[in-house]
């Protein structure tokens, strides 16, 4: 009792608030008049606000999340009890009520547990003995209206005892809320009757239905919130490993074992004292996070979004250390707690299935209905393990202590026999982790078992995840343990580092098993050509490629050093170890080149081929790159990135095998021109076919799809015949998930800037852009935008709407002004991120053009700002490559001066860097570039 008093020692008591309300009644002739109601509301509002403020202050002082939740619940208890007393005594003067007019106010749901966050719903039940009476209706209405006036979210019901019992049998939501019912005020005997009948008529009769409903509800919730507990913006309440999972454990145990308090779970044998302390630790931490989250957002926000993570980390006292921000340290702790919740869930389920089946006869039916029929048998050649209910289990309690290598062997055996893991085995494994020492990690037997699991042709992802969740993977590979639960504070990576690594192994396995071969045709074609050593190299590389994240140095270099140390331990040869190390060092290179370099530029291919050096490395690197990108998270991979990788692979393969040369390019462009002449000759005269094919330069003929060449040339001929100045064409591609917007019109230095503004105003995200000019001064500019709709017809209509915006930029000034107004309408939520603007000018990446690379915080209209400044500086953009990594934009422009030469002068390069650095600064307000309206007007005048 003293502990409870300590929690509430700084809070006003019921008697103090009651006295304040009595004083209001004494100062008004009618306690129900409008003035009295306002006075009561204001008094309660001050009391509630003061209680929230003190709860937040004490949360900072003691850091106890559960105490904060109890304090907030206490504030509401005092307020509702005082309000009920005021209504009964002063408003309705109900001094001598009959048995039929009795009423009890009951806290239910989370409020019934005595835990509330600042934005939680106030769930209350007005409990009646028989049927509704005028007094009961008036009292309930008065209390509810007062709570609503206080802007509280109230969940309420008015029922008699019979209705509560009847509805609990058919509605598991109502049953769950009453399972945690707590008497607040009013008739205590009436509430006691409900408690007694609920225990007798509900808890002892619908156990089977309840457990099935709660487990199914949990699975649906996890599916809705995301199956992984390692998503980078987790839901504290409903996500996997969140508070709701702990609540579900308590609901089920309370239903079965009739416990009133969490600590009673130890007395019932549900948890050991150590396990209960883990339960309490997890609950307290999650409540602290949830309460801070509500205080920060000033609403019932349950998602730990990027824009609040940093502030909550600071509130909780996390500090930065080399290689990790404070927010990353906080989130790592969060994921470790979520993992603990998962462990507790497994322990609890094991107890339900095993420990109580003999001791509680009434559970026999439940277990048979919910869990598979028990059957135990031996595993041939594996005396230390048995098959128990189609899951692997330990044959003896000392299986890991006697031979710690069994901690790896069990996963290998489970994989070979296609078995899931028995909860008792995982619980025993966790308790035995102290035996997994460095000597075990160096044991050849252990490493052989581990490599069998990693390179399995069955389900390596699932087994590695179980190994990780059991704590084995991080202890067996200590470097991996450093990245367990490590988040990367950005919008690009959707999972923690360890989860990403395991998922990347799963992607490779899925490609190998031809589950996603249609999505990855090149990787699916190359993978079967690898020998067994090369296959092993890929699996090991994928597991290790980000293993050095969170260190002060480049994780690729540090990761390669880790691989050189680990691979020999795994039994790999010196040559294979070197290959793994090289792949880790270069695992980002192919993605970067494909997405941010001009693949039409011969220098790009030559430089990349010099890095790769062999066809073997090229094959391994492209498969590694596909798996890495695909495992980043939903929506990160698309067919367009796949197309870029396939193009880079094909061009580099030619270079490495001797088929890529300038003479070869001349022959290929000549052949392409002849083919175009032949195709145009089928619909027009031979002279016109020659004339229009001659308008195109070699680069266009080499790198534009043949069907597009025919269509563009035919359109140019038609435009000349009709006098059209501008044509906008939309083309969709479901496989690449890219929609192409091609504009043919007179060339202008600011054309790409105007097209970028038009796309931004339509909400279209540009992925890349190519710009070709013809010998008669026309531009053929193609904007590649991310697809939004699955259906081609819908996507074409969207593309046509964007095309309408483009045409609007070339039409009247009023239309242009409206489009410009829309361009910056939507602000992307990137306030939480810090990207230092960076501009690099490089004359070594291309033989013909200067390459400008810009890194900045992404925002609507960014590409317009950049391209507009480039035009201001008298530069001609030949191609643009836009890559976004969540909140970070990396834009690469291939430019020349207006004479077609590289930009070589140091003063001019400095001016370019200065202007671009200013325009990409997050606080940029538009002064560094020509106003968008002026740019649009200038291009429109030139074109028309």
């Amino acid at each position: 009792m003293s502990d409870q008093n300590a929690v509430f020692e700084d809070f006003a008591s019921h008697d103090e608030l009651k006295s304040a309300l009595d004083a209001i009644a004494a100062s008004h002739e009618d306690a129900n008049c409008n003035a009295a109601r306002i006075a009561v509301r204001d008094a309660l509002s001050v009391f509630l606000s003061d209680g929230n403020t003190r709860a937040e202050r004490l949360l900072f002082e003691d850091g106890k999340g559960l105490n904060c939740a109890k304090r907030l619940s206490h504030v509401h208890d005092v307020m509702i009890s005082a309000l009920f007393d005021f209504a009964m005594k002063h408003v309705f003067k109900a001094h001598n009520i009959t048995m039929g007019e009795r009423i009890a106010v009951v806290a239910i749901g989370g409020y019934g547990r005595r835990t509330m966050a600042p934005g939680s719903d106030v769930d209350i039940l007005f409990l009646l003995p028989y049927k509704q009476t005028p007094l009961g209706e008036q009292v309930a209405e008065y209390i509810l209206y007062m709570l609503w006036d206080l802007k509280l979210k109230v969940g309420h019901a008015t029922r008699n005892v019979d209705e509560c019992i009847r509805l609990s049998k058919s509605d598991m939501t109502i049953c769950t809320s009453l399972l945690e019912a707590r008497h607040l005020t009013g008739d205590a005997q009436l509430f006691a009757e409900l408690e007694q009948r609920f225990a007798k008529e509900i808890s002892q009769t619908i156990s089977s239905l309840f457990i099935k409903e709660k487990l199914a509800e949990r699975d649906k919730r996890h599916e809705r919130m995301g199956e992984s507990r390692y998503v980078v913006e987790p839901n504290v309440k409903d996500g996997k490993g969140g508070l709701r999972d702990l609540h579900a454990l308590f609901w089920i145990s309370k239903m079965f074992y009739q416990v009133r308090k969490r600590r009673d779970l130890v007395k019932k044998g549900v948890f050991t004292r150590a396990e209960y302390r883990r339960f309490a630790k997890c609950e307290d931490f999650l409540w602290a996070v949830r309460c801070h989250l509500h205080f920060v957002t000033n609403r019932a926000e349950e998602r730990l979004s990027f824009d609040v993570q940093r502030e909550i980390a600071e509130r909780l006292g996390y500090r930065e250390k080399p290689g990790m921000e404070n927010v990353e340290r906080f989130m790592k702790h969060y994921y470790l707690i979520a993992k603990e919740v998962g462990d507790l869930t497994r322990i609890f389920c094991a107890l339900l299935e095993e420990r109580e089946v003999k001791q509680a006869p009434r559970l026999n039916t439940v277990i048979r209905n919910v869990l598979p029929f028990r059957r135990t048998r031996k595993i041939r050649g594996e005396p230390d393990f048995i098959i128990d209910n189609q899951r692997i289990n330990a044959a003896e309690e000392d299986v890991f202590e006697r031979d710690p290598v069994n901690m790896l062997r069990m996963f290998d055996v489970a994989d070979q026999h296609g078995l899931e893991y028995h909860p008792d085995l995982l619980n025993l494994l966790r308790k035995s982790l102290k035996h997994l020492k460095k000597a075990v990690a160096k044991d050849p037997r252990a490493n052989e078992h581990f490599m069998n699991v990693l390179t399995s042709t069955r389900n390596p992802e699932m087994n590695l995840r179980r190994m990780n969740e059991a704590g084995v993977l991080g202890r067996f590979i200590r470097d991996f343990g450093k990245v367990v639960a490590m988040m990367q504070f950005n919008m690009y990576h959707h999972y923690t580092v360890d989860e990403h690594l395991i998922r990347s192994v799963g992607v490779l396995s899925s490609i190998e098993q031809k589950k996603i071969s249609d999505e990855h045709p090149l990787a699916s074609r190359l993978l079967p050509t690898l020998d067994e050593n090369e296959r092993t190299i890929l699996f090991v590389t994928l597991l290790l490629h980000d293993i050095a994240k969170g260190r002060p140095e480049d994780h690729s270099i540090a990761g390669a050093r880790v691989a050189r140390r680990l691979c020999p331990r795994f039994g790999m040869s010196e040559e294979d170890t070197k290959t793994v190390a090289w792949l880790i060092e270069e695992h980002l290179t192919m993605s970067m080149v494909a997405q941010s370099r001009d693949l039409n530029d011969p220098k790009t291919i030559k430089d990349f081929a010099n890095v790769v050096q062999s066809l073997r490395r090229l094959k391994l690197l492209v498969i590694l790159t596909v798996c890495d990108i695909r495992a980043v998270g939903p929506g990160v991979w698309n067919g367009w990135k796949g197309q870029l990788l396939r193009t880079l692979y094909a061009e580099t393969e030619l270079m490495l095998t001797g088929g890529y040369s300038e003479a070869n390019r001349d022959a290929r462009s000549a052949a392409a021109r002849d083919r175009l002449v032949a195709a145009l000759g089928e619909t027009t005269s031979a002279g016109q076919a020659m004339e229009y094919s001659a308008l195109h330069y070699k680069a266009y003929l080499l790198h534009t799809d043949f069907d597009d060449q025919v269509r563009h040339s035919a359109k140019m001929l038609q435009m000349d015949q009709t006098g059209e100045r501008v044509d906008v064409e939309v083309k969709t591609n479901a496989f690449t998930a890219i929609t192409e917007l091609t504009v043919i019109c007179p060339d202008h230095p600011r054309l790409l800037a105007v097209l970028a503004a038009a796309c931004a105003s339509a909400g279209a995200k540009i992925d890349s852009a190519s710009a070709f000019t013809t010998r008669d001064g026309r531009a053929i500019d193609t904007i590649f935008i991310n697809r939004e709709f699955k259906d081609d017809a819908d996507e074409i209509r969207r593309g046509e709407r964007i095309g309408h915006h483009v045409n609007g930029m070339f039409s009247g000034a009023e239309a242009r002004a409206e489009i410009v107004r829309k361009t910056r309408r939507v602000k992307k939520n990137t306030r939480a991120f810090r990207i230092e603007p960076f501009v690099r000018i490089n004359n070594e990446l291309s033989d013909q053009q200067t390459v400008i690379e810009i890194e900045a915080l992404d925002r609507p209209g960014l590409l317009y700002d950049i391209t507009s400044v480039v035009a201001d500086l008298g530069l001609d953009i030949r191609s643009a490559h836009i890559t976004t990594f969540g909140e970070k934009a990396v834009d690469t422009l291939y430019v020349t001066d207006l004479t077609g030469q590289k930009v070589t002068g140091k003063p001019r390069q400095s001016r370019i860097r200065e202007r671009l650095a200013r325009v990409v600064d997050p606080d940029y307000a538009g002064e560094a570039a020509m106003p968008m309206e002026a740019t649009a007007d200038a291009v429109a005048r030139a074109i028309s």
Side-chain angles (χ1 to χ4, degrees), residues 309-370:
Q309 287 178 9
R310 193 184 298 278
E311 183 173 352
I312 292 177
E314 292 170 355
R315 280 171 158 251
L316 289 170
Y318 290 87
R319 296 291 178 263
E320 186 174 335
K321 72 174 186 178
M324 286 187 74
E325 294 186 55
N326 62 342
V327 63
E328 292 173 330
R329 295 188 67 201
F330 157 56
M331 291 304 297
K332 179 169 184 173
H333 188 190
Y334 178 89
Y335 295 122
L336 290 174
I337 290 293
K339 179 178 176 294
E340 285 276 293
V341 173
D343 291 339
L344 290 168
T345 302
R346 283 192 297 273
I347 292 169
F348 181 77
C349 289
L351 181 83
L352 275 183
E353 182 180 358
E354 301 297 327
R355 298 182 187 175
E356 295 300 312
V357 68
K358 295 179 180 178
Q359 299 175 22
R362 67 187 179 85
L363 287 182
N364 287 334
T365 302
V366 176
I367 300 304
R368 283 196 297 270
N369 288 340
V370 178

Side-chain angles (χ1 to χ4, degrees), residues 229-230 336 339 343 346 411 429-430 433 461-475 477 480-481 483-485 496-502 543:
R229 63 175 58 91
Y230 303 114
L336 290 174
K339 179 178 176 294
D343 291 339
R346 283 192 297 273
F411 293 100
L429 179 62
R430 182 184 176 88
L433 286 176
E461 179 182 4
M462 186 271 284
N463 288 302
L464 286 172
R465 183 169 288 112
R466 296 290 186 272
M467 193 183 292
N468 189 37
E469 290 179 347
V472 172
L473 190 52
R475 280 179 174 258
I477 305 175
F480 193 93
V483 298
V484 169
T496 56
V497 177
D498 56 327
E499 178 69 5
H500 165 68
L501 294 175
I502 292 171
L543 185 68

Side-chain angles (χ1 to χ4, degrees), residues 586-598:
E586 303 294 342
H587 76 273
L588 298 175
T589 302
M590 191 167 195
S591 173
M592 183 274 293
V593 172
Q595 295 182 65
S596 62
R597 295 285 180 264
D598 188 348

